[in-house]
Amino acid sequence: MTKDPSTEIDNYINALPDFSKALCTRLRALIKKAAPGITEDWKWGPHYNSNGMVCGFGGFKKHVVLHFFNGSGMSDSHKLFNSGKDNDYGRSIKFNDITELKEKEKFIIEYVRESVALNKSGFKRTKKEKDAICPEDLYKALRKKPLALKFFESLANGYKNEFIELVEAAKRQETREQRVEKVVTLCGAQTKLNDKYKK
C-alpha cells in the first residue's frame, strides 16, 4: 500500500540531520503559507503541485535545495536562483544555513506564488535549440558541393546539430573524415540524418 505523500514527507524530513531538517521543515511551512491550496506529493522527494509541478526540496549533507520545476519561466526578481541554470526548465536556490533562509523568507513566498500563477496561466515548456556551429572541416567539405551546403544551411538548428554531433563524436581522425563525407553525401541528396528511420 502506498503511503500518504504527506506522511512520506514527514518521514523524509525526520530522517534528515538536524541542520537540513530545520531548513526543510521551514521550507515546507513557507510553501504551504504561500499557496494554501497547494497539493503535497511525493515524486523523487518532497514535491508540490498546483495546476502542474510547482516546486520541491531536498536535503543534502551541507546544503538544502529548493527547486522550481518551471523556473526558466520565472522572473527571478530577487536574483535568488543560484543552481540549475544549465537546465532547460528548472531553477534552484541553494541554502547553506537556516539564517540564510530566514533572510529570504518573504522572497521565497513570492517565488512560490509566482510559480503557482505561472502554471495557472498555462505556461508551456519550450526547449531552446542550441546554436549550430559548423566545424571547419565539415564546412570546407560542404563548400565544395554547393547543393549540399545550400541544403545544410536551410536546415533548422536541431537538424544541423545532428550532423555536427555525428562528426564531433568521432574518436579517430579517419572516422571523422568518413563522417564528414557521409554528411556531405546526405546533404547533397537533400536528406536529413535520421530520415530513413522516419519512413
Side-chain angles (χ1 to χ4, degrees):
M1 182 178 174
T2 305
K3 290 182 180 178
D4 172 69
S6 294
T7 303
E8 290 273 16
I9 295 172
D10 287 340
N11 294 340
Y12 173 82
I13 291 175
N14 288 334
L16 292 171
D18 288 344
F19 149 76
S20 45
K21 184 188 293 184
L23 277 160
C24 290
T25 299
R26 189 59 191 153
L27 282 172
R28 186 185 195 184
L30 290 170
I31 292 165
K32 290 181 175 182
K33 180 179 179 180
I38 205 162
T39 302
E40 271 196 323
D41 200 356
W42 181 266
K43 187 181 286 188
W44 322 297
H47 177 95
Y48 294 83
N49 288 299
S50 179
N51 295 302
M53 299 187 296
V54 174
C55 61
F57 56 79
F60 301 90
K61 284 185 178 180
K62 296 185 178 180
H63 66 272
V64 165
V65 169
L66 172 63
H67 186 76
F68 289 90
F69 296 102
N70 289 327
S72 62
M74 293 170 62
S75 64
D76 190 19
S77 53
H78 300 289
K79 307 299 178 193
L80 299 185
F81 292 146
N82 53 19
S83 181
K85 291 185 179 180
D86 55 346
N87 186 291
D88 284 319
Y89 311 115
R91 298 288 184 272
S92 300
I93 306 170
K94 188 185 291 185
F95 297 100
N96 297 306
D97 60 63
I98 193 72
T99 305
E100 188 180 2
L101 173 57
K102 285 178 178 177
E103 290 170 352
K104 297 171 181 171
E105 285 190 355
K106 66 178 181 179
F107 301 146
I108 298 304
I109 289 172
E110 282 181 29
Y111 276 44
V112 173
R113 287 176 178 165
E114 182 183 359
S115 185
V116 168
L118 193 66
N119 284 357
K120 192 174 181 180
S121 73
F123 174 76
K124 301 292 182 189
R125 292 178 163 204
T126 53
K127 190 168 184 175
K128 294 178 182 176
E129 283 192 338
K130 285 194 302 183
D131 288 338
I133 301 172
C134 188
E136 189 176 348
D137 55 346
L138 176 57
Y139 186 67
K140 281 183 177 178
L142 285 165
R143 281 183 62 187
K144 292 176 184 176
K145 304 283 185 179
L147 286 176
L149 178 61
K150 185 177 179 181
F151 177 74
F152 180 83
E153 290 184 335
S154 74
L155 295 172
N157 279 347
Y159 292 121
K160 287 180 184 173
N161 280 322
E162 287 179 357
F163 282 131
I164 291 166
E165 286 164 14
L166 176 71
V167 171
E168 298 282 16
K171 292 184 170 61
R172 296 168 58 229
Q173 183 59 31
E174 182 184 356
T175 306
R176 185 180 178 105
E177 289 169 4
Q178 290 169 353
R179 291 184 180 184
V180 165
E181 186 178 336
K182 178 181 178 178
V183 170
V184 173
T185 300
L186 286 170
C187 287
Q190 314 285 288
T191 304
K192 297 190 286 291
L193 184 60
N194 294 309
D195 276 359
K196 65 180 180 179
Y197 301 114
K198 297 173 184 174
K199 292 179 181 177

